[in-house]
Each structure stands twice: as C-alpha cells, then as structure tokens.
Coordinates of all heavy atoms in Angstrom, one line a residue:
E1 N -25.4 -22.4 21.3 CA -26.8 -21.9 21.3 C -27.7 -22.9 20.6 O -28.9 -23.1 21.0 CB -26.9 -20.6 20.5 CG -26.3 -19.4 21.4 CD -27.2 -19.0 22.5 OE1 -28.4 -19.4 22.5 OE2 -26.7 -18.4 23.5
I2 N -27.3 -23.6 19.5 CA -28.1 -24.6 18.8 C -28.3 -25.7 19.7 O -29.5 -26.2 19.9 CB -27.4 -25.0 17.5 CG1 -27.3 -23.8 16.5 CG2 -28.1 -26.2 16.9 CD1 -26.4 -24.1 15.3
F3 N -27.3 -26.2 20.4 CA -27.4 -27.3 21.3 C -28.4 -26.9 22.5 O -29.3 -27.7 22.9 CB -26.1 -27.7 21.9 CG -26.1 -28.9 22.9 CD1 -26.7 -30.1 22.5 CD2 -25.5 -28.8 24.1 CE1 -26.7 -31.2 23.4 CE2 -25.5 -29.8 25.0 CZ -26.2 -31.0 24.7
L4 N -28.3 -25.7 23.0 CA -29.1 -25.3 24.1 C -30.6 -25.2 23.6 O -31.5 -25.6 24.4 CB -28.7 -23.9 24.5 CG -29.3 -23.3 25.8 CD1 -29.1 -24.3 27.0 CD2 -28.6 -22.0 26.1
S5 N -30.8 -24.8 22.4 CA -32.2 -24.8 21.9 C -32.8 -26.2 21.8 O -34.0 -26.4 22.1 CB -32.3 -24.1 20.5 OG -31.7 -24.9 19.5
L6 N -32.0 -27.2 21.5 CA -32.5 -28.6 21.5 C -32.8 -29.1 22.9 O -33.7 -29.8 23.2 CB -31.4 -29.5 20.8 CG -31.3 -29.3 19.3 CD1 -30.1 -30.1 18.8 CD2 -32.5 -29.7 18.6
L7 N -31.9 -28.6 23.9 CA -32.2 -29.0 25.3 C -33.4 -28.3 25.8 O -34.2 -28.9 26.6 CB -31.0 -28.7 26.1 CG -29.7 -29.5 25.8 CD1 -28.6 -29.1 26.8 CD2 -30.0 -31.0 25.9
Y8 N -33.7 -27.1 25.3 CA -34.9 -26.4 25.7 C -36.1 -27.2 25.2 O -37.1 -27.3 25.9 CB -35.0 -25.0 25.1 CG -34.2 -24.0 25.9 CD1 -33.5 -23.0 25.2 CD2 -34.0 -24.0 27.3 CE1 -32.8 -22.0 25.8 CE2 -33.3 -23.1 27.9 CZ -32.7 -22.1 27.2 OH -31.9 -21.1 27.9
Q9 N -36.0 -27.7 24.0 CA -37.1 -28.5 23.4 C -37.3 -29.8 24.3 O -38.5 -30.2 24.6 CB -36.8 -29.0 22.0 CG -37.8 -29.9 21.3 CD -39.2 -29.2 21.2 OE1 -39.3 -28.0 21.1 NE2 -40.2 -30.0 21.3
C10 N -36.2 -30.4 24.8 CA -36.3 -31.6 25.6 C -37.0 -31.2 27.0 O -37.7 -32.1 27.6 CB -35.0 -32.2 25.9 SG -34.3 -33.0 24.5
S11 N -36.8 -30.0 27.4 CA -37.4 -29.6 28.7 C -38.9 -29.4 28.6 O -39.6 -29.3 29.6 CB -36.8 -28.3 29.2 OG -37.2 -27.2 28.4
H12 N -39.5 -29.4 27.4 CA -41.0 -29.4 27.2 C -41.6 -30.7 27.0 O -42.8 -30.8 26.9 CB -41.3 -28.5 26.0 CG -40.9 -27.1 26.2 ND1 -41.4 -26.2 27.2 CD2 -40.0 -26.3 25.6 CE1 -40.8 -25.1 27.1 NE2 -40.0 -25.1 26.2
L13 N -40.8 -31.8 27.0 CA -41.3 -33.1 26.8 C -41.4 -33.9 28.1 O -40.6 -33.6 29.0 CB -40.3 -33.9 25.8 CG -40.0 -33.2 24.5 CD1 -39.0 -34.1 23.7 CD2 -41.3 -33.0 23.7
D14 N -42.3 -34.8 28.2 CA -42.4 -35.7 29.4 C -41.7 -37.0 29.2 O -42.0 -37.8 28.3 CB -43.9 -36.0 29.6 CG -44.7 -34.7 30.0 OD1 -44.1 -33.9 30.8 OD2 -45.9 -34.6 29.6
F15 N -40.7 -37.1 30.0 CA -39.9 -38.4 30.0 C -40.3 -39.2 31.2 O -40.2 -38.7 32.4 CB -38.4 -38.1 30.1 CG -37.8 -37.5 28.8 CD1 -37.8 -36.2 28.5 CD2 -37.2 -38.4 27.9 CE1 -37.3 -35.7 27.3 CE2 -36.7 -37.9 26.7 CZ -36.7 -36.6 26.4
N16 N -40.7 -40.4 31.0 CA -41.1 -41.3 32.1 C -40.0 -42.4 32.2 O -40.1 -43.5 31.6 CB -42.4 -41.9 31.9 CG -42.9 -42.8 33.0 OD1 -42.3 -42.7 34.1 ND2 -43.9 -43.6 32.8
L17 N -38.9 -42.1 32.8 CA -37.7 -43.0 32.9 C -37.6 -43.6 34.2 O -37.9 -43.0 35.2 CB -36.4 -42.2 32.5 CG -36.5 -41.4 31.2 CD1 -35.1 -40.7 31.0 CD2 -36.7 -42.3 30.0
N18 N -37.2 -44.9 34.3 CA -37.0 -45.6 35.5 C -35.6 -45.1 36.1 O -34.6 -45.5 35.6 CB -37.0 -47.1 35.3 CG -36.9 -47.8 36.6 OD1 -36.7 -47.3 37.7 ND2 -37.2 -49.1 36.5
I19 N -35.6 -44.3 37.1 CA -34.4 -43.8 37.7 C -33.9 -44.7 38.8 O -32.7 -44.8 39.1 CB -34.7 -42.4 38.3 CG1 -35.2 -41.4 37.2 CG2 -33.4 -41.8 39.0 CD1 -34.3 -41.3 36.0
E20 N -34.7 -45.5 39.4 CA -34.3 -46.4 40.5 C -33.4 -47.5 40.0 O -32.5 -48.0 40.7 CB -35.5 -47.0 41.2 CG -36.3 -46.1 42.1 CD -37.2 -45.1 41.3 OE1 -37.7 -45.6 40.2 OE2 -37.4 -44.0 41.7
N21 N -33.6 -47.9 38.8 CA -32.8 -49.0 38.2 C -31.6 -48.3 37.5 O -31.6 -48.1 36.3 CB -33.7 -49.7 37.1 CG -33.0 -50.9 36.6 OD1 -31.9 -51.4 37.1 ND2 -33.5 -51.5 35.5
A22 N -30.6 -48.0 38.3 CA -29.4 -47.2 37.8 C -28.1 -47.8 38.0 O -27.1 -47.3 37.6 CB -29.5 -45.8 38.4
S23 N -28.0 -49.0 38.6 CA -26.7 -49.5 39.0 C -25.9 -49.9 37.7 O -24.7 -50.0 37.8 CB -26.8 -50.7 39.9 OG -27.6 -51.7 39.3
F24 N -26.5 -50.1 36.6 CA -25.9 -50.5 35.4 C -25.1 -49.3 34.7 O -24.3 -49.5 33.9 CB -26.9 -51.1 34.4 CG -27.9 -50.0 33.9 CD1 -27.7 -49.3 32.7 CD2 -29.0 -49.8 34.7 CE1 -28.7 -48.4 32.4 CE2 -30.0 -48.9 34.3 CZ -29.8 -48.2 33.1
L25 N -25.4 -48.1 35.1 CA -24.9 -46.9 34.4 C -23.4 -46.7 34.6 O -22.8 -46.0 33.8 CB -25.7 -45.7 34.9 CG -27.1 -45.6 34.5 CD1 -27.8 -44.4 35.1 CD2 -27.2 -45.5 33.0
D26 N -22.8 -47.3 35.6 CA -21.4 -47.3 35.8 C -20.6 -48.0 34.6 O -19.5 -47.6 34.2 CB -20.9 -48.0 37.0 CG -21.2 -47.1 38.3 OD1 -21.1 -45.9 38.1 OD2 -21.4 -47.7 39.3
E27 N -21.3 -48.9 34.0 CA -20.7 -49.7 32.9 C -21.3 -49.5 31.5 O -20.5 -49.4 30.6 CB -20.9 -51.2 33.2 CG -20.3 -51.7 34.5 CD -18.8 -51.5 34.6 OE1 -18.1 -51.7 33.5 OE2 -18.2 -51.2 35.6
T28 N -22.6 -49.3 31.4 CA -23.2 -49.2 30.1 C -24.5 -48.4 30.2 O -25.0 -48.2 31.2 CB -23.5 -50.6 29.6 OG1 -24.1 -50.5 28.3 CG2 -24.5 -51.4 30.5
W29 N -24.9 -48.0 29.0 CA -26.2 -47.3 28.9 C -27.4 -48.3 28.7 O -28.5 -48.0 28.8 CB -26.2 -46.4 27.7 CG -25.7 -45.0 27.9 CD1 -24.5 -44.6 27.4 CD2 -26.3 -43.9 28.6 NE1 -24.3 -43.3 27.8 CE2 -25.4 -42.8 28.5 CE3 -27.5 -43.8 29.3 CZ2 -25.6 -41.6 29.1 CZ3 -27.7 -42.5 29.9 CH2 -26.8 -41.5 29.8
Q30 N -27.0 -49.6 28.4 CA -28.0 -50.6 28.1 C -28.9 -50.8 29.3 O -28.3 -51.2 30.4 CB -27.4 -51.9 27.6 CG -26.6 -51.8 26.3 CD -27.6 -51.7 25.1 OE1 -28.7 -52.2 25.2 NE2 -27.1 -51.2 24.0
L31 N -30.2 -50.7 29.2 CA -31.1 -50.9 30.3 C -31.3 -52.3 30.5 O -31.8 -53.0 29.6 CB -32.4 -50.1 30.0 CG -33.4 -50.1 31.1 CD1 -32.9 -49.3 32.3 CD2 -34.7 -49.5 30.6
P32 N -31.0 -52.9 31.7 CA -31.3 -54.3 31.9 C -32.7 -54.5 32.2 O -33.5 -53.6 32.4 CB -30.4 -54.6 33.2 CG -30.4 -53.3 33.9 CD -30.4 -52.2 32.8

C-alpha cells in the first residue's frame, strides 16, 4: 500500500522521457 501510494504520486507528475531511444535498455539504464 505504501509503494502503491508512491506510484499514485508518480501518476500525477509529467514525465517527458525519450521512449524511442530504448535499444540500450537490454544492457543498462544509462541513457546514451
């Protein structure tokens, strides 16, 4: 429930993330 409340908070935020640049995610989180 605590974790879910944090995720609810994230659902109210605007994230502008580059989704097209994703081929690196198989290996690392580091954004090239």
